[in-house]
Amino acid sequence: MIKELIIDSSPNGATIALLQDRQLVELHKEQITNNYTVGDIYLGRIKKIMPSLNAAFVDVGYEKDAFLHYLDLGPQVQSLLKLTKQVRSGGYQSKLLDNFKPEADINKGGKISDVLSKSLLVPVQIAKEPISTKGPRLSSDLSIAGRYVVLVPFSEVISISKKIKSNTERNRLRKVVESIKPKHFGVIIRTVSEGKGVQELQKDLLDLISKWETFVTKLHGTEPSKKVLGEIGRTSTILRDILNPDFQHIYVNEQSMYEEVRSYIHEISPDLEGIVRLHKHKEPIFEHHGVDKQIKSTFGKTVNLAGGAYLVIEHTEALHVIDVNSGNRTANKENQEENAYQVNKEAAKEIARQLRLRDMGGIVVVDFIDMHKPTNRKELFDYLKAQMADDRAKHTILPPSKFGLIQITRQRVRPEMNIVTSEVCPACGGTGTIRPTVLLIDDIETNFNYILTEQNEKNITLCVHPYIEAYIKKGVFNRQMKWYFKYGQWIKVKSNPAYQITEFKFFSAKDEEIKL
């Protein structure tokens, strides 16, 4: 599988497209104005305790208070509160936790009022970005993610990714991390750590320890509701999480972003530094690599499939609904079951891509075409799970219900990627109505009076729809001839099939459009 990353950098941020075998599978937008990114750590102030929800509303500087549930406090929240109090009072000087005495874990079934109180300061991490009318979702179970490992303070547990299957490799990684991790810190070993040496893991862990030291240093003087430690940019986050030897190229259209990406890859994977390329073509980077066309064809309510079938994707506040239709794909009556199975498989592959591409989260209900054979339903379910195996968002897929519906829950941590692909009609401006065609010639002549008489333009050209050109030039003593006698100069008339029926433009002798 060939993977490519296309980065379109602009003054407002960057748009990042991930392609697999030239097909767009993920699209991310990194905006400079976005202050609430998943992974950012803030010094929150408790605004309100809600016993009925077993949760608290926290001020992190957003227009709406953020939400912190008891289950998101983390078992070591008492240790975090104790450290925060000591650091801000100047009573704890060390940046690590060697001399820190952790508190006991909280009760999983406890009440939030037993742990937090109004106006209390507590470091919190953004778990979900603000979505729709809701503020950010928070967690006080802090973690700092790196390329190979994740650092978890106030814990001694070493966890290993379930995707690493070899027991020998799991034991090796556990021993390596045990020998290098600091006291009172837990570590999560990520999938990409498989096969990596001590030096690479240690370098990554030291970088995370350095970030923790920065966090402790800033914690002392940070004002309430302000950011203490920021996550790296979306571009670097994607590179950190998915970069592997399968990547063939990373294209960037802006010099400073090119240097930033190249430098970051040099740090995390020096052998892949050479795949970063600077886009030097005149046409926009997304247009050059065919990304723009794919965006237009894959976003929107209806998504067409290669075999003639299509998907209809509807969004509501509570869930997303995807309907699979066979379209103009036909089959013999004896072959209806097989035809439905093939269409459903084709749709399942596209649905897995659409979920990643649009970053659709929450509940997704898919209405596949009815199939009668239990073996086909089972195979379709397994095929959908296999197609979604590469999806980095946490998700759960339920087997088909008795109505033939498959339900999917997918982690939602940021707003859904929504791109409007429809365009405003240039003829009616979106109103659905146009000026009467009988007045078109009057409009053209009114502009002639302005351009030729007041602006004193010479040798102008009128460009219109082919039908209008034919009408103007029809007959010996036609409209063009009348204009010659009326204005004292010959006016060229050209047609453009791309024009709307009532669209017209004027061009000067230098072939420059005359703005009206």
Side-chain angles (χ1 to χ4, degrees):
M1 181 181 292
I2 298 173
K3 292 184 179 180
E4 295 175 301
L5 206 64
I6 318 294
I7 304 173
D8 182 11
S9 181
S10 68
N12 297 323
T15 305
I16 308 144
L18 174 63
L19 276 64
Q20 289 182 357
D21 295 331
R22 298 285 181 180
Q23 189 177 42
L24 182 66
V25 293
E26 287 187 23
L27 191 66
H28 303 268
K29 286 193 176 182
E30 180 182 13
Q31 295 180 336
I32 294 175
T33 55
N34 184 16
N35 295 323
Y36 297 90
T37 302
V38 173
D40 288 349
I41 300 176
Y42 285 75
L43 181 61
R45 184 192 291 277
I46 306 299
K47 290 290 291 293
K48 189 185 297 183
I49 301 292
M50 301 293 291
S52 59
L53 300 174
N54 205 16
F57 286 101
V58 186
D59 179 15
V60 290
Y62 190 68
E63 56 191 63
K64 289 199 171 185
D65 291 336
F67 185 79
L68 176 63
H69 194 272
Y70 182 84
L71 297 177
D72 295 323
L73 290 178
Q76 299 91 21
V77 65
Q78 295 286 19
S79 299
L80 178 62
L81 293 171
K82 178 182 176 181
L83 179 71
T84 303
K85 187 176 180 180
Q86 290 183 358
V87 169
R88 291 187 65 81
S89 65
Y92 189 81
Q93 301 299 325
S94 175
K95 294 180 181 179
L96 292 177
L97 301 175
D98 297 349
N99 303 320
F100 183 79
K101 185 179 179 181
E103 295 291 306
D105 291 358
I106 62 171
N107 180 8
K108 290 183 179 179
K111 297 180 179 179
I112 198 163
S113 54
D114 296 335
V115 181
L116 303 179
S117 58
K118 188 176 180 180
S119 299
L120 182 70
L121 297 181
V122 54
V124 288
Q125 196 163 23
I126 304 294
K128 287 185 180 180
E129 295 177 12
I131 298 174
S132 186
T133 59
K134 301 174 183 177
R137 178 79 181 255
L138 305 177
S139 169
S140 57
D141 192 7
L142 305 185
S143 62
I144 305 174
R147 168 105 170 118
Y148 301 116
V149 296
V150 179
L151 189 67
V152 184
F154 312 112
S155 172
E156 298 290 352
V157 178
I158 297 176
S159 304
I160 304 176
S161 169
K162 293 180 181 178
K163 293 182 180 179
I164 300 177
K165 303 295 184 183
S166 169
N167 287 329
T168 304
E169 179 64 8
R170 293 174 71 89
N171 291 331
R172 183 189 75 86
L173 290 171
R174 186 182 298 277
K175 289 178 180 178
V176 168
V177 171
E178 278 179 347
S179 65
I180 60 178
K181 84 172 186 68
K183 187 179 179 182
H184 297 319
F185 281 94
V187 174
I188 301 171
I189 301 173
R190 308 184 72 174
T191 308
V192 288
S193 299
E194 190 170 8
K196 301 301 177 184
V198 179
Q199 187 176 358
E200 292 167 297
L201 296 174
Q202 186 173 24
K203 181 181 181 300
D204 195 40
L205 189 58
L206 289 174
D207 288 342
L208 300 184
I209 292 170
S210 176
K211 287 185 178 181
W212 171 261
E213 291 175 341
T214 302
F215 163 74
V216 174
T217 302
K218 290 185 174 181
L219 185 61
H220 175 72
T222 300
E223 296 180 11
S225 309
K226 300 295 183 182
K227 186 188 296 185
V228 184
L229 186 68
E231 173 67 292
I232 58 177
R234 184 74 62 85
T235 306
S236 299
T237 302
I238 293 171
L239 290 171
R240 179 191 70 194
D241 292 345
I242 67 174
L243 187 66
N244 59 42
D246 290 342
F247 272 84
Q248 299 293 315
H249 303 290
I250 298 175
Y251 296 101
V252 190
N253 68 334
E254 198 261 330
Q255 184 68 38
S256 61
M257 177 66 79
Y258 167 77
E259 297 293 345
E260 180 185 332
V261 171
R262 193 177 175 88
S263 173
Y264 184 72
I265 291 183
H266 178 74
E267 288 182 15
I268 65 172
S269 191
D271 54 318
L272 294 176
E273 184 181 351
I275 68 175
V276 186
R277 308 284 177 84
L278 182 63
H279 177 77
K280 295 181 180 179
H281 297 273
K282 289 184 178 180
E283 60 183 337
I285 187 169
F286 273 10
E287 184 178 336
H288 180 77
H289 293 280
V291 177
D292 271 341
K293 187 175 181 180
Q294 290 197 53
I295 290 174
K296 292 289 185 183
S297 64
T298 51
F299 283 86
K301 181 178 177 180
T302 303
V303 178
N304 294 313
L305 306 180
Y310 63 95
L311 307 177
V312 178
I313 303 176
E314 297 276 7
H315 308 278
T316 71
E317 184 69 23
L319 49 79
H320 308 279
V321 180
I322 302 177
D323 185 35
V324 180
N325 293 276
S326 58
N328 56 16
R329 183 165 175 164
T330 58
N332 298 328
K333 290 184 178 180
E334 296 80 11
N335 203 25
Q336 282 183 352
E337 178 76 12
E338 180 62 24
N339 184 62
Y341 176 64
Q342 293 300 329
V343 170
N344 283 339
K345 279 190 68 176
E346 186 183 2
K349 184 177 181 180
E350 181 62 25
I351 287 167
R353 183 172 81 107
Q354 288 289 329
L355 294 180
R356 290 176 67 187
L357 190 57
R358 304 185 187 213
D359 205 5
M360 292 162 61
I363 301 172
V364 182
V365 179
V366 184
D367 183 12
F368 285 103
I369 298 173
D370 289 341
M371 296 184 297
H372 302 291
K373 293 183 179 179
T375 54
N376 285 347
R377 291 199 292 267
K378 175 69 167 58
E379 286 180 14
L380 175 64
F381 174 61
D382 293 338
Y383 183 77
L384 180 59
K385 286 200 297 184
Q387 291 298 315
M388 291 191 65
D390 291 333
D391 196 339
R392 291 178 291 124
K394 294 177 183 178
H395 59 271
T396 304
I397 308 173
L398 297 181
S401 69
K402 63 180 180 180
F403 299 117
L405 305 176
I406 286 183
Q407 299 170 68
I408 304 169
T409 60
R410 188 174 183 274
Q411 182 186 30
R412 176 166 61 178
V413 297
R414 57 181 60 90
E416 177 190 345
M417 176 66 67
N418 186 25
I419 295 177
V420 178
T421 57
S422 57
E423 299 176 354
V424 175
C425 171
C428 69
T431 63
T433 59
I434 60 175
R435 282 178 58 79
T437 52
V438 295
L439 299 180
L440 178 63
I441 298 300
D442 291 345
D443 289 343
I444 292 173
E445 291 182 351
T446 299
N447 285 291
F448 275 151
N449 289 328
Y450 172 75
I451 293 170
L452 300 176
T453 307
E454 297 186 25
Q455 297 296 318
N456 200 27
E457 288 277 356
K458 302 293 183 182
N459 300 320
I460 69 168
T461 301
L462 169 66
C463 199
V464 292
H465 188 275
Y467 288 172
I468 305 302
E469 181 200 27
Y471 171 76
I472 292 172
K473 293 181 177 181
K474 182 182 179 182
V476 178
F477 194 66
N478 53 36
R479 286 278 177 180
Q480 196 173 17
M481 187 66 69
K482 289 179 180 178
W483 291 338
Y484 173 73
F485 288 114
K486 183 176 182 180
Y487 301 109
Q489 60 175 291
W490 186 255
I491 298 168
K492 297 178 183 177
V493 180
K494 292 183 178 181
S495 64
N496 188 334
Y499 280 20
Q500 300 296 322
I501 189 71
T502 58
E503 187 179 2
F504 60 88
K505 292 180 182 179
F506 299 97
F507 294 89
S508 66
K510 296 180 180 179
D511 205 29
E512 296 175 348
E513 184 182 347
I514 301 173
K515 299 294 183 181
L516 301 174

